[in-house]
Amino acid sequence: MSFQQYGISPQLVERIKLKMKNPAVKERIKNMINGISRQELQDSAIVRKLVRGAAAVMNEKLTAAQEEQIVRFVIAQKIDPNNTFHLIRLWGMFR
């Protein structure tokens, strides 16, 4: 399922992809999500905290609506960070 179906703009995704190419930003985001579990990625409060933290690291100002769209998208993906197939699928979505 595409992020656009959740109302997330392609422009926002492109800006974030560009910022993630910065090694310092990438490392800070990796440290933020290191050790996160599938159960935690299904908890809207935890996902919201991660989204806010990532936005701060990337200096992105998200509206409440954008934040909610991203949280709903992440939860809907049912991501298991220990499942390589899930990670490959996500990678393909944002290449």
Side-chain angles (χ1 to χ4, degrees):
M1 186 165 286
S2 171
F3 60 87
Q4 291 174 316
Q5 292 173 304
Y6 287 85
I8 301 168
S9 80
Q11 295 82 6
L12 174 63
V13 171
E14 288 305 314
R15 271 199 323 271
I16 289 173
K17 283 169 48 176
L18 188 62
K19 290 177 181 188
M20 286 296 290
K21 290 182 180 179
N22 177 334
V25 170
K26 184 178 180 179
E27 202 56 40
R28 285 184 69 191
I29 298 294
K30 279 173 54 178
N31 290 337
M32 187 184 305
I33 61 174
N34 188 29
I36 198 103
S37 72
R38 181 180 188 154
Q39 291 76 23
E40 290 170 312
L41 289 175
Q42 290 298 297
D43 182 322
S44 62
I46 293 173
V47 173
R48 188 173 314 282
K49 182 179 171 193
L50 288 170
V51 168
R52 286 179 180 163
V57 166
M58 290 184 257
N59 201 25
E60 277 292 328
K61 306 287 184 245
L62 297 178
T63 66
Q66 287 173 316
E67 190 177 289
E68 184 59 34
Q69 291 163 340
I70 294 168
V71 169
R72 282 193 0 241
F73 171 76
V74 170
I75 290 172
Q77 300 312 299
K78 295 185 173 30
I79 302 163
D80 180 356
N82 297 316
N83 183 326
T84 305
F85 176 72
H86 285 205
L87 301 177
I88 290 170
R89 190 183 77 203
L90 282 173
W91 177 259
M93 210 180 287
F94 294 102
R95 281 193 310 169

